[in-house]
């Protein structure tokens, strides 16, 4: 099969499009013919300097396609079924082997490209809002990096839950696009002071919950935006900056900061069922999956470079 691989970590140009051995189906797993790869934030971080499972390494958490082989111990999936899969690596390829537990059926008629972009972004947003964030109707949420895939998912899910939704983005144009997904107030962090704007919009109270997939210096703004008993769900380091922040304000306001990593619980019944429910909601038209652009698998280097240029609104896909 063909795959986008690298022999060492670094900038997007370390990616090579090469022939590699076909994957082997585990007795408790499935093999899919990949139709769409959703490039996740962790994929670019891994390529930039993460651990490699082998050499060459096939990066990638998430991909959707058609099952072409089913392990002998798998009873709930079948050849020909369309599924979206998540695993630690291996998405950037024409074929992919994963544990059957890590494959979610795609409802008939639902766009497989949209399905490919659901489990990690929407599952992460749901966990940030409800699993770690304990969001309730009537509360106010700030979604940092609202134009990213996690941000877009969090905006929709928070609004659906009855929250007032604030979001940050790098331009007025990107913020304008977020209104259609449920954003009530937008903050251009490149032009305006985020904390000042949050306090102005909340009458000086601050927000009840912040979803922060950026970290670094952005986390300090998230801390400053919190109201009394406010919570932060920290779910990434998209900014790739050191986490050097002053957390002393947590104590005086009885505030909390919780780290979120969906992968730690993705094998649990709770998270597995939650992801299937999100896929089903999207298939019914209750949630919108935003695809910014697609690239051929052979141009994975260009796709990674495009993402790191912070131009995308939503997910970027690779198509074998």
């Amino acid at each position: 099969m063909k795959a986008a691989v690298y022999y060492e970590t670094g900038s997007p140009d370390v990616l090579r499009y090469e022939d590699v051995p076909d994957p082997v189906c585990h007795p408790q797993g499935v093999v899919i013919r990949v139709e769409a790869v959703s490039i996740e934030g962790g994929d670019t971080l891994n390529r930039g300097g993460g651990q490699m499972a082998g050499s060459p390494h096939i990066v990638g958490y998430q991909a959707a396609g058609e099952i072409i082989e089913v392990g002998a111990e798998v009873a709930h999936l079948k050849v020909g079924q369309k599924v979206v899969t998540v695993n630690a690596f291996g998405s950037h390829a024409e074929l992919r082997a994963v544990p059957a537990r890590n494959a979610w059926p795609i409802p008939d008629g639902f766009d497989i490209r949209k399905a490919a972009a659901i489990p990690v972004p929407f599952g992460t947003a749901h966990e940030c809002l409800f699993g770690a964030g304990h969001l309730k109707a009537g509360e106010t949420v700030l979604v940092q990096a609202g134009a990213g895939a996690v941000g877009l998912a969090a905006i929709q899910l928070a609004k659906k839950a009855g929250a007032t939704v604030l979001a940050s983005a790098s331009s007025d144009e990107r913020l304008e696009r977020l209104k259609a997904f449920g954003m009530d107030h937008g903050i251009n962090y490149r032009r305006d002071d985020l904390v000042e704007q949050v306090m102005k919009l909340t009458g000086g109270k601050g927000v009840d919950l912040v979803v922060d997939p950026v970290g670094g210096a952005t986390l300090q703004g998230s801390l400053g935006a919190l109201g009394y008993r406010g919570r932060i769900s920290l779910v990434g380091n998209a900014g790739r900056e050191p986490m050097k922040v002053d957390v002393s304000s947590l104590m005086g306001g009885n505030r909390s900061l919780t780290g979120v990593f969906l992968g730690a619980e993705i094998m649990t019944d709770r998270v597995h069922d939650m992801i299937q429910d999100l896929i089903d909601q999207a298939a019914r038209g209750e949630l919108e999956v935003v695809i910014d652009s697609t690239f051929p698998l052979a141009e994975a280097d260009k796709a990674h470079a495009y993402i790191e240029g912070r131009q995308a609104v939503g997910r970027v896909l690779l198509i074998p």
Side-chain angles (χ1 to χ4, degrees), residues 214-261:
V214 183
T218 298
L219 180 57
Q220 196 67 60
S222 297
L223 287 161
L226 286 179
Y228 184 71
R229 290 196 178 277
R231 296 95 63 195
I232 295 175
S233 291
L234 176 65
V235 68
N237 188 24
R240 302 190 184 188
E241 299 174 350
M243 295 283 189
K244 296 181 179 179
V245 296
D246 180 2
V247 297
S248 60
S249 62
L250 292 174
M251 293 179 290
N254 286 316
R255 304 174 178 102
S256 61
L257 169 63
T258 303
V260 175
F261 175 49

Side-chain angles (χ1 to χ4, degrees), residues 11 14 68 75 77 129 178 184 192 245 248 273:
S11 61
V14 301
I68 61 171
L77 298 171
L129 292 169
L178 301 184
D184 295 293
D192 301 320
V245 296
S248 60
D273 293 348

Side-chain angles (χ1 to χ4, degrees), residues 61-111:
Y61 290 152
Q62 192 163 277
E66 180 177 325
I67 296 176
I68 61 171
E69 190 174 355
V70 176
E73 298 176 23
V74 178
H76 67 290
L77 298 171
K78 61 184 180 181
V79 170
Q81 194 169 12
K82 302 282 188 175
V83 294
V84 55
T85 65
V86 176
N87 210 19
F89 54 89
S91 76
H92 287 37
E94 292 180 323
L95 301 175
R96 186 184 204 194
V98 300
R101 180 67 169 172
N102 290 22
W104 290 265
I106 299 172
D108 291 342
F110 186 41
D111 186 344

